[in-house]
Amino acid sequence: MNGIAFCLLALSGLAFAQKPDRFFDAKVVPILTQRCLGCHNHELNDGGISFEDRDSLLKGGSRGPAIVPGKPEASVVIYAVRQDGNLKMPPAKLSRKQIAILTEWIHRGAPWGTSPRPKP
């Protein structure tokens, strides 16, 4: 690859990384807001984790990183929402579609967009 092509590729990746993620905003934020943030926010910090920002999810809580970008199978969030093991979150199970959305989001690298906020 020549230098110009490499620079163009790098710049296009930078531009993409700086744009808010539409999939996250349209599909993931509603799930996090409605089903997670009631307990997992900066104020309550249930389980030692907040879903209000990406860094908190990457850091995780008492069970380790909540999300591992690109690896849904290694992400505690997916383990919890599938409710196949000991960890079953949220208490009212997510739909298959909601689980698929979260799985796809993490598979895509867990890009962030507009930060979700807990409902008042």
Side-chain angles (χ1 to χ4, degrees):
M1 180 181 304
N2 67 33
I4 293 173
F6 180 77
C7 287
L8 289 174
L9 183 63
L11 288 174
S12 69
L14 181 60
F16 176 76
Q18 292 177 345
K19 287 174 31 178
D21 187 74
R22 290 184 186 148
F23 182 83
F24 177 80
D25 288 341
K27 305 281 185 176
V28 178
V29 167
I31 297 168
L32 298 182
T33 301
Q34 295 168 5
R35 305 301 298 276
C36 306
L37 285 170
C39 297
H40 299 286
N41 58 62
H42 291 318
E43 187 177 314
L44 296 177
N45 207 23
D46 196 6
I49 187 166
S50 171
F51 282 60
E52 287 187 68
D53 62 77
R54 189 174 192 267
D55 289 341
S56 295
L57 290 171
L58 291 170
K59 180 182 173 193
S62 57
R63 297 179 188 262
I67 59 171
V68 179
K71 298 181 179 180
E73 68 284 349
S75 300
V76 172
V77 165
I78 300 304
Y79 175 77
V81 298
R82 286 183 180 156
Q83 298 193 1
D84 292 336
N86 293 335
L87 182 59
K88 295 178 178 8
M89 288 304 218
K93 192 171 182 177
L94 296 180
S95 70
R96 286 184 183 146
K97 181 178 180 181
Q98 290 171 318
I99 294 169
I101 288 168
L102 293 176
T103 302
E104 176 64 21
W105 169 61
I106 294 171
H107 179 74
R108 291 179 178 202
W112 204 258
T114 305
S115 290
R117 296 284 176 236
K119 289 183 177 183

